Amino acid sequence: NAGVTQTPKFRVLKTGQSMTLLCAQDMNHEYMYWYRQDPGMGLRLIHYSVGEGTTAKGEVPDGYNVSRLKKQNFLLGLESAAPSQTSVYFCASRIRDRGLNQPQHFGDGTRLSIL
Amino acid sequence: AQSVTQLGSHVSVSEGALVLLRCNYSSSVPPYLFWYVQYPNQGLQLLLKYTSAATLVKGINGFEAEFKKSETSFHLTKPSAHMSDAAEYFCAVSATGTGNQFYFGTGTSLTVIP
């Protein structure tokens, strides 16, 4: 029962470096989301996907790109990391349902520091 | 537009005392509301959800929340705090539209004093 798995768990980057965060879910969920969590600001949506091959921008998409080539995976990329992107990143998934009462399921997060 | 507001970024209670964490929502349509808990260095776990079937919702670990439409509130309570309840708590609302995005409050950090 893995649920939502995020890799890596920790990473330190230098300004200007690039990296990709991987999210994998084994619940066959259609919807997947990437959030960043910063002190006092709650969770803010970066990008989301409603299915394989589709992505959309959330509240704070600048500086990030995403891809959903397989239903179970959702990748978040930082092309040129900046100190402002130091944060904890969470991935979540959700089953597609006609109602709105289905919860999102979260991974344990990736703690990213940009020096 | 839908949103939630959590009053009080930090709440401290004594062990055994009542826990009350506040959440108010802003929604033009009946909302679907959730409470999540986040323990240190972990992801968010679902505590409970409101789905309009009942105004008083019971969740895990002895928590419950009451939906009050007249007050646009969905406050989280627990009769007797335990040390293990120390965590960050988030209220969220599920939005209509593509992707059914969630909008989260800014969180309330609960400290339990022995």
Side-chain angles (χ1 to χ4, degrees):
Chain A
N1 250 8
V4 179
T5 302
Q6 293 184 232
T7 53
K9 297 188 184 304
F10 305 92
R11 187 71 184 268
V12 178
L13 289 179
K14 294 181 179 179
T15 298
Q17 287 185 318
S18 63
M19 79 161 296
T20 300
L21 282 64
L22 172 63
C23 176
Q25 54 96 2
D26 62 1
M27 296 172 284
N28 203 34
H29 286 172
E30 291 82 6
Y31 295 169
M32 296 186 75
Y33 310 83
W34 274 108
Y35 295 89
R36 60 177 291 171
Q37 183 181 28
D38 302 290
M41 303 188 75
L43 277 76
R44 293 181 293 168
L45 184 65
I46 304 171
H47 286 280
Y48 65 96
S49 169
V50 299
E52 183 177 323
T54 70
T55 63
K57 294 179 180 180
E59 180 185 356
V60 289
D62 294 342
Y64 305 96
N65 57 76
V66 289
S67 64
R68 183 115 180 256
L69 301 179
K70 295 183 179 180
K71 185 177 183 179
Q72 63 268 33
N73 296 337
F74 195 29
L75 280 63
L76 177 70
L78 286 73
E79 291 185 348
S80 180
S84 61
Q85 294 177 305
T86 293
S87 187
V88 182
Y89 292 86
F90 286 99
C91 177
S93 71
R94 178 186 181 277
I95 193 169
R96 181 172 62 196
D97 190 275
R98 291 184 63 185
L100 297 175
N101 63 350
Q102 295 299 324
Q104 293 186 7
H105 300 262
F106 285 81
D108 285 338
T110 295
R111 285 147 185 83
L112 183 60
S113 292
I114 317 276
L115 304 178
Chain B
Q2 289 141 323
S3 66
V4 291
T5 301
Q6 292 183 243
L7 298 176
S9 58
H10 298 277
V11 171
S12 294
V13 299
S14 297
E15 190 174 15
L18 171 72
V19 176
L20 171 61
L21 305 181
R22 302 178 186 274
C23 175
N24 288 88
Y25 67 89
S26 172
S27 175
S28 59
V29 297
Y32 290 89
L33 296 158
F34 303 79
W35 274 101
Y36 284 84
V37 60
Q38 182 183 31
Y39 298 104
N41 298 317
Q42 294 186 24
L44 279 69
Q45 301 175 31
L46 180 68
L47 268 179
L48 50 81
K49 65 179 183 181
Y50 169 69
T51 61
S52 75
T55 56
L56 183 63
V57 182
K58 294 188 183 297
I60 62 172
N61 301 338
F63 283 92
E64 62 182 33
E66 185 173 8
F67 175 75
K68 292 187 177 180
K69 184 177 180 180
S70 61
E71 299 178 6
T72 61
S73 68
F74 189 56
H75 300 333
L76 183 70
T77 60
K78 182 175 181 178
S80 177
H82 192 272
M83 295 298 294
S84 60
D85 294 327
E88 187 93 16
Y89 292 81
F90 291 94
C91 182
V93 62
S94 177
T96 57
T98 303
N100 297 138
Q101 300 174 36
F102 275 29
Y103 292 95
F104 287 86
T106 53
T108 298
S109 178
L110 176 66
T111 299
V112 181
I113 303 167

Coordinates of all heavy atoms in Angstrom, one line a residue, chain A residues 10 31 33 35 37 40-45 48 50 57-59 88 90 94-95 97 99-109 111, chain B residues 2 30 32 34 36 38-46 49-51 88 90 94-107:
Chain A
F10 N 14.9 14.7 -0.1 CA 15.7 15.9 0.2 C 16.6 16.2 -0.9 O 17.1 15.3 -1.6 CB 16.6 15.8 1.5 CG 15.8 15.3 2.7 CD1 15.7 14.0 3.0 CD2 15.3 16.3 3.5 CE1 15.1 13.6 4.2 CE2 14.6 15.9 4.7 CZ 14.5 14.6 5.0
Y31 N -6.5 12.2 -11.4 CA -6.0 13.6 -11.1 C -4.7 13.6 -10.3 O -4.7 12.8 -9.3 CB -7.1 14.4 -10.3 CG -8.4 14.7 -11.1 CD1 -9.5 15.2 -10.4 CD2 -8.5 14.4 -12.4 CE1 -10.7 15.4 -11.1 CE2 -9.7 14.7 -13.1 CZ -10.8 15.2 -12.4 OH -11.9 15.4 -13.1
Y33 N -1.6 16.4 -8.6 CA -1.3 17.8 -8.3 C 0.1 18.0 -7.7 O 0.6 17.1 -7.0 CB -2.3 18.3 -7.2 CG -3.8 18.0 -7.5 CD1 -4.3 16.7 -7.2 CD2 -4.6 19.0 -8.0 CE1 -5.7 16.5 -7.4 CE2 -5.9 18.7 -8.3 CZ -6.5 17.5 -8.0 OH -7.8 17.2 -8.2
Y35 N 2.0 20.8 -5.3 CA 1.9 22.0 -4.4 C 3.3 22.3 -3.8 O 4.2 21.5 -3.7 CB 1.1 21.7 -3.2 CG -0.4 21.4 -3.4 CD1 -0.8 20.1 -3.7 CD2 -1.3 22.4 -3.4 CE1 -2.2 19.8 -3.9 CE2 -2.7 22.1 -3.6 CZ -3.1 20.8 -3.9 OH -4.4 20.5 -4.1
Q37 N 4.7 24.2 -0.2 CA 4.3 24.6 1.1 C 5.4 25.5 1.7 O 6.6 25.1 1.8 CB 4.1 23.4 2.1 CG 3.6 23.8 3.4 CD 3.4 22.7 4.4 OE1 4.1 21.6 4.2 NE2 2.5 22.8 5.3
G40 N 3.5 29.9 6.8 CA 2.5 30.9 6.9 C 1.6 31.0 5.6 O 0.8 31.9 5.6
M41 N 1.9 30.2 4.6 CA 1.2 30.4 3.4 C 0.3 29.2 3.0 O -0.3 29.1 1.9 CB 2.1 30.8 2.3 CG 3.0 32.0 2.6 SD 3.9 32.6 1.2 CE 2.7 33.3 0.2
G42 N 0.3 28.1 3.8 CA -0.4 27.0 3.5 C 0.2 26.3 2.3 O 1.4 26.3 2.0
L43 N -0.7 25.6 1.5 CA -0.3 24.9 0.3 C -0.8 25.7 -0.9 O -1.9 26.1 -1.0 CB -0.8 23.5 0.3 CG -0.1 22.4 1.0 CD1 -0.3 22.5 2.5 CD2 -0.4 21.0 0.5
R44 N 0.1 25.9 -1.8 CA -0.3 26.6 -3.1 C 0.0 25.7 -4.3 O 1.0 25.1 -4.4 CB 0.6 27.9 -3.2 CG 0.2 28.9 -2.1 CD 1.0 30.2 -2.3 NE 2.5 30.0 -2.1 CZ 3.4 30.8 -2.4 NH1 3.1 32.0 -3.0 NH2 4.7 30.5 -2.1
L45 N -1.0 25.6 -5.1 CA -1.0 24.7 -6.3 C -0.1 25.3 -7.4 O -0.2 26.4 -7.8 CB -2.4 24.6 -6.8 CG -2.6 23.6 -7.9 CD1 -2.3 22.2 -7.5 CD2 -4.0 23.6 -8.5
Y48 N -1.3 21.0 -12.2 CA -2.1 19.8 -12.0 C -2.4 19.1 -13.3 O -2.1 19.7 -14.4 CB -3.4 20.1 -11.2 CG -4.4 20.9 -12.0 CD1 -5.4 20.4 -12.7 CD2 -4.3 22.3 -11.9 CE1 -6.4 21.1 -13.3 CE2 -5.2 23.1 -12.6 CZ -6.3 22.5 -13.3 OH -7.2 23.3 -14.0
V50 N -5.3 16.3 -15.2 CA -6.5 15.6 -15.1 C -6.5 14.3 -15.8 O -7.5 13.5 -15.9 CB -7.7 16.4 -15.6 CG1 -7.9 17.7 -14.7 CG2 -7.6 16.8 -17.0
K57 N -2.0 24.9 -15.5 CA -1.3 25.7 -14.5 C -2.2 25.9 -13.3 O -3.4 26.0 -13.4 CB -1.0 27.1 -15.1 CG 0.0 27.0 -16.2 CD 0.3 28.4 -16.8 CE 1.3 28.3 -17.9 NZ 1.6 29.7 -18.5
G58 N -1.5 26.0 -12.1 CA -2.2 26.3 -10.9 C -2.0 27.8 -10.5 O -1.9 28.7 -11.4
E59 N -1.9 28.0 -9.2 CA -1.8 29.4 -8.7 C -0.4 30.0 -8.9 O -0.3 31.2 -9.1 CB -2.2 29.3 -7.2 CG -2.1 30.7 -6.5 CD -2.3 30.5 -5.0 OE1 -2.6 29.4 -4.5 OE2 -2.2 31.5 -4.3
V88 N 9.0 23.2 0.5 CA 8.7 21.8 0.6 C 7.6 21.5 -0.5 O 6.6 22.2 -0.5 CB 8.1 21.4 2.0 CG1 7.8 19.9 2.0 CG2 9.2 21.7 3.1
F90 N 4.9 19.1 -2.3 CA 4.0 17.9 -2.1 C 3.3 17.6 -3.4 O 2.8 18.4 -4.1 CB 3.0 18.2 -1.0 CG 3.5 18.2 0.3 CD1 3.9 19.4 1.0 CD2 3.8 17.0 1.0 CE1 4.4 19.4 2.2 CE2 4.3 17.0 2.3 CZ 4.6 18.2 2.9
R94 N -5.9 12.2 -6.8 CA -7.4 12.1 -6.5 C -8.1 11.3 -7.5 O -7.8 11.5 -8.7 CB -7.9 13.5 -6.3 CG -9.4 13.6 -6.0 CD -9.8 15.1 -6.1 NE -11.2 15.3 -5.8 CZ -12.2 15.2 -6.7 NH1 -11.9 14.8 -7.9 NH2 -13.4 15.4 -6.3
I95 N -9.0 10.5 -7.1 CA -9.8 9.8 -8.1 C -10.8 10.8 -8.8 O -11.2 11.7 -8.2 CB -10.6 8.7 -7.4 CG1 -11.2 7.7 -8.4 CG2 -11.7 9.2 -6.5 CD1 -11.8 6.4 -7.8
D97 N -14.2 11.8 -10.1 CA -15.6 11.5 -9.6 C -16.5 12.6 -9.9 O -16.1 13.8 -10.0 CB -15.5 11.3 -8.0 CG -16.8 10.8 -7.5 OD1 -17.7 11.5 -7.2 OD2 -16.8 9.5 -7.4
G99 N -18.7 13.9 -8.2 CA -18.9 14.8 -7.0 C -17.6 15.4 -6.6 O -16.6 15.3 -7.3
L100 N -17.7 16.2 -5.6 CA -16.5 17.0 -5.2 C -16.0 16.5 -3.8 O -15.2 17.2 -3.2 CB -16.8 18.5 -5.1 CG -17.2 19.1 -6.4 CD1 -17.6 20.6 -6.2 CD2 -16.0 19.1 -7.4
N101 N -16.5 15.4 -3.4 CA -16.2 15.0 -2.0 C -15.1 14.0 -1.9 O -14.9 13.4 -0.8 CB -17.5 14.4 -1.3 CG -18.0 13.2 -2.0 OD1 -17.5 12.8 -3.1 ND2 -18.9 12.5 -1.4
Q102 N -14.4 13.8 -2.9 CA -13.3 12.8 -2.9 C -12.0 13.6 -2.4 O -11.7 14.6 -2.9 CB -13.0 12.2 -4.2 CG -14.1 11.4 -4.8 CD -14.4 10.2 -3.8 OE1 -13.5 9.6 -3.2 NE2 -15.7 9.9 -3.7
P103 N -11.3 13.0 -1.4 CA -10.1 13.7 -0.9 C -8.9 13.5 -1.8 O -8.9 12.7 -2.7 CB -9.9 13.0 0.5 CG -10.4 11.6 0.2 CD -11.6 11.8 -0.7
Q104 N -8.0 14.4 -1.6 CA -6.7 14.2 -2.2 C -5.8 13.4 -1.3 O -5.9 13.6 -0.1 CB -6.1 15.6 -2.5 CG -6.8 16.4 -3.6 CD -6.1 17.6 -4.0 OE1 -5.0 17.9 -3.6 NE2 -6.8 18.4 -4.9
H105 N -4.9 12.6 -1.9 CA -4.0 11.8 -1.1 C -2.6 12.3 -1.3 O -2.2 12.5 -2.5 CB -4.1 10.3 -1.5 CG -5.5 9.7 -1.4 ND1 -5.8 9.0 -0.3 CD2 -6.6 9.8 -2.1 CE1 -7.1 8.6 -0.4 NE2 -7.6 9.1 -1.5
F106 N -1.9 12.5 -0.3 CA -0.6 13.2 -0.4 C 0.6 12.3 -0.2 O 0.5 11.3 0.6 CB -0.5 14.3 0.7 CG -1.3 15.5 0.3 CD1 -2.7 15.5 0.5 CD2 -0.8 16.6 -0.3 CE1 -3.5 16.6 0.2 CE2 -1.5 17.7 -0.6 CZ -2.9 17.7 -0.4
G107 N 1.7 12.6 -0.8 CA 3.0 12.0 -0.5 C 3.6 12.7 0.7 O 3.1 13.6 1.3
D108 N 4.8 12.2 1.0 CA 5.5 12.7 2.2 C 6.3 14.0 2.0 O 6.9 14.5 2.9 CB 6.4 11.7 2.8 CG 5.6 10.6 3.5 OD1 4.4 10.9 3.9 OD2 6.1 9.5 3.7
G109 N 6.4 14.4 0.7 CA 7.1 15.7 0.4 C 8.5 15.5 0.0 O 9.2 14.6 0.3
R111 N 11.9 18.0 0.3 CA 12.4 19.3 0.9 C 13.6 19.7 0.0 O 14.6 19.1 0.0 CB 12.8 19.0 2.3 CG 11.6 18.9 3.3 CD 11.8 18.0 4.4 NE 10.5 17.9 5.2 CZ 9.5 17.1 4.8 NH1 9.6 16.3 3.7 NH2 8.4 17.1 5.5
Chain B
Q2 N -14.0 30.1 -4.4 CA -14.0 29.5 -3.1 C -12.7 29.7 -2.4 O -11.7 29.7 -3.0 CB -14.3 28.0 -3.3 CG -15.7 27.7 -3.8 CD -15.9 26.6 -4.8 OE1 -15.0 26.5 -5.7 NE2 -16.9 25.8 -4.7
P30 N -22.9 25.2 -2.4 CA -22.6 24.3 -1.2 C -21.2 23.8 -1.3 O -20.8 23.2 -2.3 CB -23.6 23.2 -1.4 CG -24.8 23.9 -2.1 CD -24.1 24.9 -3.0
Y32 N -17.7 21.6 -0.4 CA -17.2 20.3 0.1 C -15.9 20.6 0.9 O -15.0 21.1 0.3 CB -17.0 19.3 -1.0 CG -18.2 18.9 -1.7 CD1 -18.8 19.6 -2.7 CD2 -18.9 17.8 -1.2 CE1 -20.0 19.1 -3.3 CE2 -20.1 17.3 -1.7 CZ -20.7 18.0 -2.7 OH -21.9 17.6 -3.3
F34 N -12.9 19.9 3.9 CA -12.0 18.8 4.4 C -11.1 19.4 5.5 O -10.8 20.6 5.5 CB -11.1 18.3 3.3 CG -11.8 17.7 2.1 CD1 -12.3 18.6 1.2 CD2 -12.0 16.4 2.0 CE1 -13.0 18.1 0.0 CE2 -12.6 15.9 0.8 CZ -13.2 16.7 -0.1
Y36 N -7.3 18.3 7.2 CA -6.2 17.5 7.1 C -5.2 17.8 8.3 O -5.2 18.9 8.8 CB -5.4 17.8 5.8 CG -5.9 17.2 4.5 CD1 -6.9 17.8 3.8 CD2 -5.5 16.0 4.0 CE1 -7.5 17.3 2.7 CE2 -6.0 15.4 2.9 CZ -7.0 16.1 2.2 OH -7.5 15.6 1.0
Q38 N -1.1 17.4 9.5 CA 0.3 17.2 9.1 C 1.2 17.1 10.3 O 1.4 18.1 11.0 CB 0.7 18.3 8.1 CG 2.1 18.1 7.6 CD 2.6 19.3 6.7 OE1 2.2 20.4 6.9 NE2 3.4 19.0 5.7
Y39 N 1.8 15.9 10.5 CA 2.8 15.8 11.5 C 4.1 16.2 11.0 O 4.4 16.2 9.8 CB 2.8 14.3 12.0 CG 1.4 13.9 12.6 CD1 0.6 13.1 11.9 CD2 1.1 14.4 13.9 CE1 -0.7 12.7 12.4 CE2 -0.2 14.0 14.4 CZ -1.0 13.2 13.7 OH -2.2 12.9 14.2
P40 N 5.1 16.5 11.9 CA 6.4 17.0 11.4 C 7.0 16.1 10.4 O 7.1 14.9 10.6 CB 7.2 17.1 12.7 CG 6.1 17.3 13.8 CD 4.9 16.5 13.3
N41 N 7.5 16.7 9.3 CA 8.2 16.0 8.3 C 7.4 14.9 7.6 O 8.0 13.9 7.1 CB 9.5 15.4 8.8 CG 10.5 16.5 9.3 OD1 10.6 17.5 8.7 ND2 11.0 16.2 10.5
Q42 N 6.1 15.1 7.6 CA 5.2 14.2 6.9 C 4.3 14.9 5.9 O 4.2 16.1 5.9 CB 4.4 13.4 7.9 CG 5.3 12.4 8.8 CD 4.4 11.5 9.6 OE1 3.2 11.3 9.3 NE2 5.0 11.0 10.7
G43 N 3.6 14.1 5.1 CA 2.6 14.7 4.2 C 1.3 14.9 5.0 O 1.2 14.7 6.2
L44 N 0.3 15.4 4.3 CA -1.0 15.6 4.8 C -1.9 14.4 4.9 O -1.9 13.6 3.9 CB -1.8 16.7 4.0 CG -1.4 18.2 4.3 CD1 0.0 18.5 3.8 CD2 -2.4 19.1 3.7
Q45 N -2.5 14.2 6.0 CA -3.4 13.0 6.2 C -4.8 13.5 6.3 O -5.1 14.5 7.1 CB -3.0 12.2 7.4 CG -1.6 11.6 7.4 CD -1.3 10.9 8.7 OE1 -2.2 10.4 9.3 NE2 0.0 11.0 9.0
L46 N -5.8 12.9 5.7 CA -7.2 13.3 5.9 C -7.7 12.9 7.3 O -7.6 11.8 7.7 CB -8.0 12.5 4.8 CG -9.5 12.8 4.8 CD1 -9.7 14.3 4.4 CD2 -10.3 11.9 3.9
K49 N -14.1 14.7 6.3 CA -14.6 15.5 5.2 C -16.1 15.7 5.4 O -16.8 14.9 5.9 CB -14.4 14.8 3.9 CG -15.1 13.5 3.7 CD -14.7 12.9 2.3 CE -15.5 11.6 2.1 NZ -15.2 11.0 0.7
Y50 N -16.6 16.8 4.9 CA -18.0 17.1 4.9 C -18.6 16.9 3.5 O -18.1 17.4 2.5 CB -18.2 18.6 5.3 CG -19.7 19.1 5.1 CD1 -20.7 18.6 5.9 CD2 -20.0 20.0 4.1 CE1 -22.0 19.0 5.7 CE2 -21.3 20.4 3.9 CZ -22.3 19.9 4.7 OH -23.6 20.2 4.4
T51 N -19.7 16.1 3.5 CA -20.3 15.8 2.2 C -21.8 16.1 2.1 O -22.4 15.6 1.2 CB -20.0 14.3 1.9 OG1 -20.7 13.5 2.9 CG2 -18.5 14.0 1.8
E88 N 0.2 20.3 12.6 CA -0.3 21.4 11.8 C -1.6 20.9 11.2 O -1.7 19.7 10.7 CB 0.6 21.8 10.7 CG 0.2 23.0 9.9 CD 0.9 24.3 10.5 OE1 1.8 24.2 11.2 OE2 0.4 25.4 10.1
F90 N -4.9 21.7 8.6 CA -5.3 22.5 7.4 C -6.8 22.2 7.1 O -7.2 21.1 7.0 CB -4.5 22.1 6.2 CG -3.0 22.6 6.3 CD1 -2.1 21.7 6.8 CD2 -2.6 23.9 5.9 CE1 -0.7 22.1 6.9 CE2 -1.3 24.3 6.0 CZ -0.4 23.4 6.5
S94 N -13.0 22.0 -1.7 CA -12.9 21.4 -3.1 C -13.7 22.3 -4.0 O -14.8 22.6 -3.8 CB -13.5 20.0 -3.1 OG -13.4 19.5 -4.4
A95 N -13.0 22.7 -5.1 CA -13.6 23.7 -6.0 C -14.2 23.0 -7.2 O -13.8 21.9 -7.6 CB -12.5 24.7 -6.5
T96 N -15.2 23.6 -7.8 CA -15.8 23.2 -9.0 C -14.9 23.5 -10.1 O -13.9 24.2 -10.0 CB -17.2 23.8 -9.3 OG1 -17.0 25.2 -9.3 CG2 -18.2 23.5 -8.2
G97 N -15.1 22.9 -11.3 CA -14.3 23.2 -12.4 C -13.3 22.1 -12.7 O -13.1 21.1 -12.0
T98 N -12.5 22.3 -13.8 CA -11.6 21.3 -14.2 C -10.5 21.0 -13.1 O -10.0 21.9 -12.5 CB -10.8 21.8 -15.5 OG1 -11.8 22.2 -16.5 CG2 -9.9 20.8 -16.0
G99 N -10.4 19.7 -12.9 CA -9.4 19.3 -11.9 C -9.8 19.3 -10.5 O -9.1 18.8 -9.6
N100 N -10.9 19.9 -10.2 CA -11.5 19.9 -8.8 C -10.4 20.3 -7.8 O -10.1 19.6 -6.9 CB -12.1 18.6 -8.5 CG -13.3 18.2 -9.3 OD1 -13.4 17.1 -9.8 ND2 -14.1 19.2 -9.6
Q101 N -9.8 21.5 -8.1 CA -8.7 21.9 -7.2 C -9.2 22.1 -5.8 O -10.3 22.4 -5.5 CB -8.2 23.2 -7.7 CG -7.6 23.2 -9.1 CD -7.3 24.6 -9.6 OE1 -6.8 25.4 -8.9 NE2 -7.5 24.9 -10.9
F102 N -8.2 21.9 -4.9 CA -8.4 22.2 -3.5 C -7.8 23.6 -3.2 O -6.8 23.9 -3.7 CB -7.8 21.2 -2.6 CG -8.6 19.9 -2.3 CD1 -9.5 19.5 -3.3 CD2 -8.4 19.2 -1.2 CE1 -10.2 18.3 -3.0 CE2 -9.1 18.1 -0.9 CZ -10.1 17.6 -1.9
Y103 N -8.5 24.3 -2.3 CA -8.0 25.6 -1.8 C -7.8 25.4 -0.3 O -8.7 25.0 0.4 CB -8.9 26.8 -2.1 CG -9.0 27.1 -3.6 CD1 -10.0 26.6 -4.3 CD2 -8.0 27.9 -4.2 CE1 -10.0 26.8 -5.7 CE2 -8.1 28.2 -5.5 CZ -9.1 27.6 -6.3 OH -9.1 27.9 -7.6
F104 N -6.5 25.6 0.1 CA -6.2 25.3 1.5 C -6.1 26.6 2.3 O -5.7 27.6 1.8 CB -4.8 24.6 1.6 CG -4.8 23.2 1.2 CD1 -4.7 22.8 -0.2 CD2 -5.0 22.2 2.1 CE1 -4.8 21.5 -0.5 CE2 -5.1 20.8 1.7 CZ -4.9 20.5 0.4
G105 N -6.5 26.5 3.6 CA -6.2 27.6 4.5 C -4.7 27.6 4.8 O -3.9 26.7 4.4
T106 N -4.3 28.6 5.6 CA -2.9 28.8 5.9 C -2.4 27.9 7.0 O -1.2 27.9 7.3 CB -2.6 30.3 6.2 OG1 -3.5 30.7 7.2 CG2 -2.8 31.1 4.9
G107 N -3.3 27.2 7.6 CA -2.9 26.2 8.6 C -2.9 26.8 10.0 O -2.7 28.0 10.3

